[in-house]
mmCIF file of all heavy atoms in Angstrom:
data_model
loop_
_atom_site.group_PDB
_atom_site.id
_atom_site.type_symbol
_atom_site.label_atom_id
_atom_site.label_comp_id
_atom_site.label_asym_id
_atom_site.label_seq_id
_atom_site.Cartn_x
_atom_site.Cartn_y
_atom_site.Cartn_z
ATOM 1 N N PHE A 1030 -12.773 -6.379 -11.047
ATOM 2 C CA PHE A 1030 -11.860 -6.433 -12.198
ATOM 3 C C PHE A 1030 -10.830 -7.547 -12.018
ATOM 4 O O PHE A 1030 -10.594 -8.342 -12.941
ATOM 5 C CB PHE A 1030 -11.188 -5.061 -12.365
ATOM 6 C CG PHE A 1030 -10.153 -4.999 -13.451
ATOM 7 C CD1 PHE A 1030 -10.418 -5.506 -14.721
ATOM 8 C CD2 PHE A 1030 -8.911 -4.416 -13.216
ATOM 9 C CE1 PHE A 1030 -9.461 -5.435 -15.740
ATOM 10 C CE2 PHE A 1030 -7.953 -4.342 -14.218
ATOM 11 C CZ PHE A 1030 -8.223 -4.866 -15.475
ATOM 12 N N LEU A 1031 -10.237 -7.651 -10.850
ATOM 13 C CA LEU A 1031 -9.236 -8.706 -10.622
ATOM 14 C C LEU A 1031 -9.858 -10.077 -10.860
ATOM 15 O O LEU A 1031 -9.259 -10.942 -11.515
ATOM 16 C CB LEU A 1031 -8.673 -8.615 -9.190
ATOM 17 C CG LEU A 1031 -7.669 -9.720 -8.854
ATOM 18 C CD1 LEU A 1031 -6.331 -9.476 -9.539
ATOM 19 C CD2 LEU A 1031 -7.448 -9.849 -7.350
ATOM 20 N N PRO A 1041 -0.001 -20.445 -14.340
ATOM 21 C CA PRO A 1041 -0.151 -20.476 -12.878
ATOM 22 C C PRO A 1041 0.148 -19.099 -12.269
ATOM 23 O O PRO A 1041 1.176 -18.492 -12.580
ATOM 24 C CB PRO A 1041 0.925 -21.485 -12.417
ATOM 25 C CG PRO A 1041 1.345 -22.212 -13.649
ATOM 26 C CD PRO A 1041 1.109 -21.299 -14.805
ATOM 27 N N LYS A 1072 9.387 -11.254 -2.181
ATOM 28 C CA LYS A 1072 10.811 -11.157 -2.517
ATOM 29 C C LYS A 1072 11.140 -11.975 -3.767
ATOM 30 O O LYS A 1072 10.775 -13.147 -3.875
ATOM 31 C CB LYS A 1072 11.663 -11.625 -1.328
ATOM 32 C CG LYS A 1072 13.141 -11.456 -1.615
ATOM 33 C CD LYS A 1072 13.966 -11.241 -0.355
ATOM 34 C CE LYS A 1072 15.447 -11.228 -0.680
ATOM 35 N NZ LYS A 1072 15.828 -10.183 -1.644
ATOM 36 N N ILE A 1078 0.322 -5.220 -9.984
ATOM 37 C CA ILE A 1078 -0.667 -4.504 -9.169
ATOM 38 C C ILE A 1078 -1.895 -4.243 -10.040
ATOM 39 O O ILE A 1078 -1.781 -3.738 -11.150
ATOM 40 C CB ILE A 1078 -0.114 -3.163 -8.656
ATOM 41 C CG1 ILE A 1078 1.120 -3.383 -7.788
ATOM 42 C CG2 ILE A 1078 -1.197 -2.416 -7.867
ATOM 43 C CD1 ILE A 1078 1.794 -2.088 -7.326
ATOM 44 N N LYS A 1097 8.184 -2.169 -3.218
ATOM 45 C CA LYS A 1097 9.600 -2.273 -3.605
ATOM 46 C C LYS A 1097 10.493 -2.263 -2.383
ATOM 47 O O LYS A 1097 11.381 -3.096 -2.234
ATOM 48 C CB LYS A 1097 9.980 -1.075 -4.489
ATOM 49 C CG LYS A 1097 9.852 -1.339 -5.961
ATOM 50 C CD LYS A 1097 10.471 -0.191 -6.750
ATOM 51 C CE LYS A 1097 10.161 -0.349 -8.214
ATOM 52 N NZ LYS A 1097 10.300 0.903 -8.957
ATOM 53 N N GLY A 1139 -17.154 -2.084 -8.883
ATOM 54 C CA GLY A 1139 -16.061 -1.866 -7.921
ATOM 55 C C GLY A 1139 -15.947 -0.428 -7.451
ATOM 56 O O GLY A 1139 -15.604 -0.170 -6.309
#
Side-chain angles (χ1 to χ4, degrees):
F1030 176 48
L1031 177 74
K1072 184 152 174 59
I1078 300 176
K1097 267 190 189 160

